[in-house]
Amino acid sequence: PSPSLRAIPGGSLPARRLRFAARRPAAPAHPPGRWSLVTPLFAAHADTVSPPARRRALAELLLERHGILTREHILAEAIPGGFAGLYDSLAELETLGVCRRGYFVEGLGGAQFALPGAVERLRQDRPRPDAQPPALVLAAADPAQPYGAVLPWPRPHHHDRRPARVPGAYLILLAGEPLLYVERSARGLISFREPSSDPADLRAALMSLAHAVHAGRIPRLALERIDGAPAVGSKWETFLAESGFRAGPRRLILSA
């Protein structure tokens, strides 16, 4: 046989060839095919769409996104022209039967527009007095999370701690009311109630938080502070241990 095809003793390549093979570039991560930017296509047709058509399309998009649209929603979305700029488009959609106008959410602006299906769902989801509503875990920056945008943040249990709508933070709500806020570092917890005021609600909120971690929706938590004080040795430690947190060096840990 020729030297280039001669078998290598031991069935392995020389180390020198392995070193050069390791330097070869990896295969591209993106799928094969022809790719092109679409931004110029949109820019080319930008002048062909009239401003009223743009406003109507935007109004329909916001209705689909929120279900019930209020002045506060539009302000939170930072829409140019604000609520007044979209009011005519929303009124036109009401005339066409696409949405309804009414007073659906108490405490918000008087002029509210909603999709018919959203109104019916809101009526069906009214909590029953004899039923314990489930706790809900939402990302603090989620559009479905209204506090800090449509609604003001309630005052935390310790006033020097301030929640914010930032990525990586989470809010736990019960019957629409905030109970706990997980800081973006996953090392701090802010409460909106004294733990002894309603232990059943607190346990429900913590169990929902633990379920979100076990399901992989929230990364590992390593709480070092609760309302600015050390978590280990606090009055929260028993509740957290019941929810699956384990004690570590200067922190309480919960992982999937």
Side-chain angles (χ1 to χ4, degrees), residues 16-42:
R16 182 179 179 183
R17 292 185 62 184
L18 287 174
R19 287 198 302 270
F20 281 101
R23 297 178 186 175
R24 294 175 182 172
H30 58 76
R34 299 181 64 183
W35 295 79
S36 62
L37 292 174
V38 298
T39 305
L41 300 177
F42 288 102

PDB file of all heavy atoms in Angstrom, residues 16-42:
ATOM      1  N   ARG A  16       0.314  15.409  16.337  1.00  0.00           N
ATOM      2  CA  ARG A  16       0.488  16.611  15.513  1.00  0.00           C
ATOM      3  C   ARG A  16      -0.722  16.843  14.616  1.00  0.00           C
ATOM      4  O   ARG A  16      -1.209  17.957  14.476  1.00  0.00           O
ATOM      5  CB  ARG A  16       1.755  16.456  14.675  1.00  0.00           C
ATOM      6  CG  ARG A  16       2.057  17.678  13.812  1.00  0.00           C
ATOM      7  CD  ARG A  16       3.332  17.467  13.038  1.00  0.00           C
ATOM      8  NE  ARG A  16       3.630  18.613  12.199  1.00  0.00           N
ATOM      9  CZ  ARG A  16       4.667  18.669  11.362  1.00  0.00           C
ATOM     10  NH1 ARG A  16       5.497  17.632  11.272  1.00  0.00           N
ATOM     11  NH2 ARG A  16       4.872  19.754  10.640  1.00  0.00           N
ATOM     12  N   ARG A  17      -1.234  15.747  14.000  1.00  0.00           N
ATOM     13  CA  ARG A  17      -2.410  15.899  13.145  1.00  0.00           C
ATOM     14  C   ARG A  17      -3.648  16.292  13.956  1.00  0.00           C
ATOM     15  O   ARG A  17      -4.494  17.031  13.489  1.00  0.00           O
ATOM     16  CB  ARG A  17      -2.669  14.607  12.377  1.00  0.00           C
ATOM     17  CG  ARG A  17      -1.594  14.299  11.338  1.00  0.00           C
ATOM     18  CD  ARG A  17      -1.962  13.085  10.526  1.00  0.00           C
ATOM     19  NE  ARG A  17      -3.212  13.330   9.797  1.00  0.00           N
ATOM     20  CZ  ARG A  17      -3.802  12.388   9.064  1.00  0.00           C
ATOM     21  NH1 ARG A  17      -3.299  11.170   8.993  1.00  0.00           N
ATOM     22  NH2 ARG A  17      -4.920  12.669   8.430  1.00  0.00           N
ATOM     23  N   LEU A  18      -3.773  15.803  15.179  1.00  0.00           N
ATOM     24  CA  LEU A  18      -4.899  16.171  16.021  1.00  0.00           C
ATOM     25  C   LEU A  18      -4.876  17.653  16.362  1.00  0.00           C
ATOM     26  O   LEU A  18      -5.904  18.314  16.428  1.00  0.00           O
ATOM     27  CB  LEU A  18      -4.910  15.336  17.300  1.00  0.00           C
ATOM     28  CG  LEU A  18      -5.316  13.867  17.136  1.00  0.00           C
ATOM     29  CD1 LEU A  18      -5.151  13.141  18.447  1.00  0.00           C
ATOM     30  CD2 LEU A  18      -6.754  13.771  16.650  1.00  0.00           C
ATOM     31  N   ARG A  19      -3.657  18.185  16.585  1.00  0.00           N
ATOM     32  CA  ARG A  19      -3.560  19.600  16.912  1.00  0.00           C
ATOM     33  C   ARG A  19      -4.049  20.457  15.758  1.00  0.00           C
ATOM     34  O   ARG A  19      -4.754  21.443  15.927  1.00  0.00           O
ATOM     35  CB  ARG A  19      -2.121  19.967  17.274  1.00  0.00           C
ATOM     36  CG  ARG A  19      -1.678  19.451  18.636  1.00  0.00           C
ATOM     37  CD  ARG A  19      -0.448  20.223  19.105  1.00  0.00           C
ATOM     38  NE  ARG A  19       0.650  20.109  18.169  1.00  0.00           N
ATOM     39  CZ  ARG A  19       1.578  19.150  18.212  1.00  0.00           C
ATOM     40  NH1 ARG A  19       1.518  18.221  19.156  1.00  0.00           N
ATOM     41  NH2 ARG A  19       2.559  19.118  17.325  1.00  0.00           N
ATOM     42  N   PHE A  20      -3.674  20.078  14.527  1.00  0.00           N
ATOM     43  CA  PHE A  20      -4.128  20.855  13.380  1.00  0.00           C
ATOM     44  C   PHE A  20      -5.628  20.681  13.133  1.00  0.00           C
ATOM     45  O   PHE A  20      -6.314  21.612  12.722  1.00  0.00           O
ATOM     46  CB  PHE A  20      -3.341  20.452  12.128  1.00  0.00           C
ATOM     47  CG  PHE A  20      -1.979  21.065  12.066  1.00  0.00           C
ATOM     48  CD1 PHE A  20      -0.853  20.333  12.419  1.00  0.00           C
ATOM     49  CD2 PHE A  20      -1.818  22.380  11.683  1.00  0.00           C
ATOM     50  CE1 PHE A  20       0.408  20.893  12.375  1.00  0.00           C
ATOM     51  CE2 PHE A  20      -0.559  22.960  11.640  1.00  0.00           C
ATOM     52  CZ  PHE A  20       0.566  22.216  11.989  1.00  0.00           C
ATOM     53  N   ALA A  21      -6.158  19.494  13.402  1.00  0.00           N
ATOM     54  CA  ALA A  21      -7.592  19.274  13.204  1.00  0.00           C
ATOM     55  C   ALA A  21      -8.407  20.122  14.167  1.00  0.00           C
ATOM     56  O   ALA A  21      -9.513  20.567  13.851  1.00  0.00           O
ATOM     57  CB  ALA A  21      -7.928  17.794  13.402  1.00  0.00           C
ATOM     58  N   ALA A  22      -7.875  20.332  15.388  1.00  0.00           N
ATOM     59  CA  ALA A  22      -8.608  21.124  16.372  1.00  0.00           C
ATOM     60  C   ALA A  22      -8.699  22.582  15.966  1.00  0.00           C
ATOM     61  O   ALA A  22      -9.555  23.307  16.459  1.00  0.00           O
ATOM     62  CB  ALA A  22      -7.933  21.008  17.743  1.00  0.00           C
ATOM     63  N   ARG A  23      -7.834  23.024  15.044  1.00  0.00           N
ATOM     64  CA  ARG A  23      -7.858  24.426  14.641  1.00  0.00           C
ATOM     65  C   ARG A  23      -8.855  24.699  13.512  1.00  0.00           C
ATOM     66  O   ARG A  23      -9.053  25.837  13.131  1.00  0.00           O
ATOM     67  CB  ARG A  23      -6.456  24.849  14.174  1.00  0.00           C
ATOM     68  CG  ARG A  23      -5.397  24.771  15.263  1.00  0.00           C
ATOM     69  CD  ARG A  23      -4.041  25.143  14.711  1.00  0.00           C
ATOM     70  NE  ARG A  23      -2.994  24.929  15.709  1.00  0.00           N
ATOM     71  CZ  ARG A  23      -1.696  25.095  15.455  1.00  0.00           C
ATOM     72  NH1 ARG A  23      -1.290  25.476  14.257  1.00  0.00           N
ATOM     73  NH2 ARG A  23      -0.799  24.872  16.399  1.00  0.00           N
ATOM     74  N   ARG A  24      -9.411  23.639  12.938  1.00  0.00           N
ATOM     75  CA  ARG A  24     -10.354  23.854  11.846  1.00  0.00           C
ATOM     76  C   ARG A  24     -11.599  24.578  12.349  1.00  0.00           C
ATOM     77  O   ARG A  24     -12.114  24.263  13.416  1.00  0.00           O
ATOM     78  CB  ARG A  24     -10.744  22.514  11.227  1.00  0.00           C
ATOM     79  CG  ARG A  24      -9.578  21.814  10.527  1.00  0.00           C
ATOM     80  CD  ARG A  24     -10.007  20.444  10.044  1.00  0.00           C
ATOM     81  NE  ARG A  24      -8.901  19.743   9.421  1.00  0.00           N
ATOM     82  CZ  ARG A  24      -8.937  18.469   9.050  1.00  0.00           C
ATOM     83  NH1 ARG A  24     -10.058  17.765   9.242  1.00  0.00           N
ATOM     84  NH2 ARG A  24      -7.901  17.896   8.495  1.00  0.00           N
ATOM     85  N   PRO A  25     -12.100  25.519  11.594  1.00  0.00           N
ATOM     86  CA  PRO A  25     -13.301  26.238  12.051  1.00  0.00           C
ATOM     87  C   PRO A  25     -14.510  25.320  12.108  1.00  0.00           C
ATOM     88  O   PRO A  25     -14.661  24.410  11.286  1.00  0.00           O
ATOM     89  CB  PRO A  25     -13.482  27.340  10.995  1.00  0.00           C
ATOM     90  CG  PRO A  25     -12.781  26.811   9.769  1.00  0.00           C
ATOM     91  CD  PRO A  25     -11.616  25.994  10.284  1.00  0.00           C
ATOM     92  N   ALA A  26     -15.369  25.549  13.098  1.00  0.00           N
ATOM     93  CA  ALA A  26     -16.572  24.740  13.237  1.00  0.00           C
ATOM     94  C   ALA A  26     -17.567  25.087  12.145  1.00  0.00           C
ATOM     95  O   ALA A  26     -17.501  26.138  11.509  1.00  0.00           O
ATOM     96  CB  ALA A  26     -17.202  24.975  14.613  1.00  0.00           C
ATOM     97  N   ALA A  27     -18.488  24.172  11.914  1.00  0.00           N
ATOM     98  CA  ALA A  27     -19.519  24.402  10.907  1.00  0.00           C
ATOM     99  C   ALA A  27     -20.391  25.578  11.327  1.00  0.00           C
ATOM    100  O   ALA A  27     -20.595  25.825  12.521  1.00  0.00           O
ATOM    101  CB  ALA A  27     -20.374  23.143  10.748  1.00  0.00           C
ATOM    102  N   PRO A  28     -20.884  26.337  10.386  1.00  0.00           N
ATOM    103  CA  PRO A  28     -21.724  27.498  10.746  1.00  0.00           C
ATOM    104  C   PRO A  28     -22.962  27.069  11.514  1.00  0.00           C
ATOM    105  O   PRO A  28     -23.576  26.045  11.214  1.00  0.00           O
ATOM    106  CB  PRO A  28     -22.081  28.117   9.396  1.00  0.00           C
ATOM    107  CG  PRO A  28     -21.873  27.024   8.397  1.00  0.00           C
ATOM    108  CD  PRO A  28     -20.757  26.182   8.943  1.00  0.00           C
ATOM    109  N   ALA A  29     -23.330  27.887  12.525  1.00  0.00           N
ATOM    110  CA  ALA A  29     -24.473  27.541  13.371  1.00  0.00           C
ATOM    111  C   ALA A  29     -25.797  27.811  12.686  1.00  0.00           C
ATOM    112  O   ALA A  29     -26.806  27.185  13.000  1.00  0.00           O
ATOM    113  CB  ALA A  29     -24.396  28.313  14.687  1.00  0.00           C
ATOM    114  N   HIS A  30     -25.827  28.794  11.752  1.00  0.00           N
ATOM    115  CA  HIS A  30     -27.099  29.132  11.107  1.00  0.00           C
ATOM    116  C   HIS A  30     -27.428  28.105  10.023  1.00  0.00           C
ATOM    117  O   HIS A  30     -26.529  27.498   9.437  1.00  0.00           O
ATOM    118  CB  HIS A  30     -27.033  30.539  10.522  1.00  0.00           C
ATOM    119  CG  HIS A  30     -25.914  30.728   9.517  1.00  0.00           C
ATOM    120  ND1 HIS A  30     -25.972  30.244   8.237  1.00  0.00           N
ATOM    121  CD2 HIS A  30     -24.702  31.324   9.641  1.00  0.00           C
ATOM    122  CE1 HIS A  30     -24.863  30.547   7.588  1.00  0.00           C
ATOM    123  NE2 HIS A  30     -24.078  31.198   8.422  1.00  0.00           N
ATOM    124  N   PRO A  31     -28.675  27.895   9.730  1.00  0.00           N
ATOM    125  CA  PRO A  31     -29.053  26.922   8.705  1.00  0.00           C
ATOM    126  C   PRO A  31     -28.642  27.401   7.327  1.00  0.00           C
ATOM    127  O   PRO A  31     -28.505  28.600   7.084  1.00  0.00           O
ATOM    128  CB  PRO A  31     -30.582  26.842   8.836  1.00  0.00           C
ATOM    129  CG  PRO A  31     -30.965  28.133   9.461  1.00  0.00           C
ATOM    130  CD  PRO A  31     -29.829  28.509  10.369  1.00  0.00           C
ATOM    131  N   PRO A  32     -28.425  26.471   6.394  1.00  0.00           N
ATOM    132  CA  PRO A  32     -28.024  26.884   5.043  1.00  0.00           C
ATOM    133  C   PRO A  32     -29.162  27.561   4.314  1.00  0.00           C
ATOM    134  O   PRO A  32     -30.330  27.472   4.692  1.00  0.00           O
ATOM    135  CB  PRO A  32     -27.658  25.550   4.373  1.00  0.00           C
ATOM    136  CG  PRO A  32     -28.459  24.524   5.119  1.00  0.00           C
ATOM    137  CD  PRO A  32     -28.520  25.018   6.539  1.00  0.00           C
ATOM    138  N   GLY A  33     -28.822  28.251   3.263  1.00  0.00           N
ATOM    139  CA  GLY A  33     -29.822  28.950   2.475  1.00  0.00           C
ATOM    140  C   GLY A  33     -29.375  30.363   2.146  1.00  0.00           C
ATOM    141  O   GLY A  33     -28.290  30.798   2.545  1.00  0.00           O
ATOM    142  N   ARG A  34     -30.223  31.075   1.429  1.00  0.00           N
ATOM    143  CA  ARG A  34     -29.935  32.458   1.062  1.00  0.00           C
ATOM    144  C   ARG A  34     -30.655  33.389   2.026  1.00  0.00           C
ATOM    145  O   ARG A  34     -31.854  33.248   2.258  1.00  0.00           O
ATOM    146  CB  ARG A  34     -30.384  32.716  -0.367  1.00  0.00           C
ATOM    147  CG  ARG A  34     -29.668  31.840  -1.398  1.00  0.00           C
ATOM    148  CD  ARG A  34     -30.126  32.164  -2.805  1.00  0.00           C
ATOM    149  NE  ARG A  34     -29.767  33.524  -3.171  1.00  0.00           N
ATOM    150  CZ  ARG A  34     -30.102  34.085  -4.329  1.00  0.00           C
ATOM    151  NH1 ARG A  34     -30.792  33.404  -5.214  1.00  0.00           N
ATOM    152  NH2 ARG A  34     -29.759  35.333  -4.583  1.00  0.00           N
ATOM    153  N   TRP A  35     -29.901  34.331   2.575  1.00  0.00           N
ATOM    154  CA  TRP A  35     -30.439  35.251   3.571  1.00  0.00           C
ATOM    155  C   TRP A  35     -30.252  36.680   3.076  1.00  0.00           C
ATOM    156  O   TRP A  35     -29.258  37.000   2.417  1.00  0.00           O
ATOM    157  CB  TRP A  35     -29.713  35.083   4.915  1.00  0.00           C
ATOM    158  CG  TRP A  35     -29.944  33.750   5.544  1.00  0.00           C
ATOM    159  CD1 TRP A  35     -29.340  32.568   5.224  1.00  0.00           C
ATOM    160  CD2 TRP A  35     -30.858  33.459   6.587  1.00  0.00           C
ATOM    161  NE1 TRP A  35     -29.822  31.563   6.003  1.00  0.00           N
ATOM    162  CE2 TRP A  35     -30.754  32.070   6.851  1.00  0.00           C
ATOM    163  CE3 TRP A  35     -31.748  34.221   7.325  1.00  0.00           C
ATOM    164  CZ2 TRP A  35     -31.513  31.442   7.825  1.00  0.00           C
ATOM    165  CZ3 TRP A  35     -32.503  33.606   8.292  1.00  0.00           C
ATOM    166  CH2 TRP A  35     -32.388  32.228   8.542  1.00  0.00           C
ATOM    167  N   SER A  36     -31.201  37.525   3.411  1.00  0.00           N
ATOM    168  CA  SER A  36     -31.091  38.937   3.047  1.00  0.00           C
ATOM    169  C   SER A  36     -31.863  39.765   4.056  1.00  0.00           C
ATOM    170  O   SER A  36     -32.820  39.292   4.675  1.00  0.00           O
ATOM    171  CB  SER A  36     -31.626  39.187   1.629  1.00  0.00           C
ATOM    172  OG  SER A  36     -33.001  38.849   1.558  1.00  0.00           O
ATOM    173  N   LEU A  37     -31.447  41.013   4.229  1.00  0.00           N
ATOM    174  CA  LEU A  37     -32.121  41.928   5.134  1.00  0.00           C
ATOM    175  C   LEU A  37     -33.450  42.376   4.523  1.00  0.00           C
ATOM    176  O   LEU A  37     -33.528  42.645   3.317  1.00  0.00           O
ATOM    177  CB  LEU A  37     -31.242  43.148   5.415  1.00  0.00           C
ATOM    178  CG  LEU A  37     -29.969  42.899   6.226  1.00  0.00           C
ATOM    179  CD1 LEU A  37     -29.125  44.172   6.283  1.00  0.00           C
ATOM    180  CD2 LEU A  37     -30.316  42.434   7.626  1.00  0.00           C
ATOM    181  N   VAL A  38     -34.477  42.452   5.350  1.00  0.00           N
ATOM    182  CA  VAL A  38     -35.787  42.875   4.871  1.00  0.00           C
ATOM    183  C   VAL A  38     -36.066  44.334   5.214  1.00  0.00           C
ATOM    184  O   VAL A  38     -37.080  44.884   4.784  1.00  0.00           O
ATOM    185  CB  VAL A  38     -36.909  41.984   5.447  1.00  0.00           C
ATOM    186  CG1 VAL A  38     -36.726  40.559   4.993  1.00  0.00           C
ATOM    187  CG2 VAL A  38     -36.935  42.062   6.976  1.00  0.00           C
ATOM    188  N   THR A  39     -35.185  44.963   5.994  1.00  0.00           N
ATOM    189  CA  THR A  39     -35.405  46.361   6.357  1.00  0.00           C
ATOM    190  C   THR A  39     -35.557  47.272   5.143  1.00  0.00           C
ATOM    191  O   THR A  39     -36.452  48.127   5.118  1.00  0.00           O
ATOM    192  CB  THR A  39     -34.254  46.858   7.256  1.00  0.00           C
ATOM    193  OG1 THR A  39     -34.140  45.992   8.386  1.00  0.00           O
ATOM    194  CG2 THR A  39     -34.511  48.275   7.725  1.00  0.00           C
ATOM    195  N   PRO A  40     -34.725  47.121   4.099  1.00  0.00           N
ATOM    196  CA  PRO A  40     -34.922  47.988   2.922  1.00  0.00           C
ATOM    197  C   PRO A  40     -36.279  47.798   2.253  1.00  0.00           C
ATOM    198  O   PRO A  40     -36.819  48.741   1.679  1.00  0.00           O
ATOM    199  CB  PRO A  40     -33.771  47.574   1.985  1.00  0.00           C
ATOM    200  CG  PRO A  40     -32.739  47.004   2.885  1.00  0.00           C
ATOM    201  CD  PRO A  40     -33.513  46.322   3.982  1.00  0.00           C
ATOM    202  N   LEU A  41     -36.826  46.581   2.328  1.00  0.00           N
ATOM    203  CA  LEU A  41     -38.135  46.358   1.722  1.00  0.00           C
ATOM    204  C   LEU A  41     -39.215  47.161   2.435  1.00  0.00           C
ATOM    205  O   LEU A  41     -40.092  47.748   1.801  1.00  0.00           O
ATOM    206  CB  LEU A  41     -38.469  44.868   1.748  1.00  0.00           C
ATOM    207  CG  LEU A  41     -37.501  43.939   0.997  1.00  0.00           C
ATOM    208  CD1 LEU A  41     -37.926  42.491   1.167  1.00  0.00           C
ATOM    209  CD2 LEU A  41     -37.461  44.310  -0.482  1.00  0.00           C
ATOM    210  N   PHE A  42     -39.157  47.172   3.773  1.00  0.00           N
ATOM    211  CA  PHE A  42     -40.134  47.960   4.532  1.00  0.00           C
ATOM    212  C   PHE A  42     -39.922  49.457   4.292  1.00  0.00           C
ATOM    213  O   PHE A  42     -40.883  50.217   4.191  1.00  0.00           O
ATOM    214  CB  PHE A  42     -40.036  47.640   6.015  1.00  0.00           C
ATOM    215  CG  PHE A  42     -40.566  46.291   6.379  1.00  0.00           C
ATOM    216  CD1 PHE A  42     -39.704  45.233   6.612  1.00  0.00           C
ATOM    217  CD2 PHE A  42     -41.933  46.054   6.477  1.00  0.00           C
ATOM    218  CE1 PHE A  42     -40.191  43.981   6.945  1.00  0.00           C
ATOM    219  CE2 PHE A  42     -42.427  44.813   6.804  1.00  0.00           C
ATOM    220  CZ  PHE A  42     -41.556  43.773   7.034  1.00  0.00           C
TER     221      PHE A  42
END
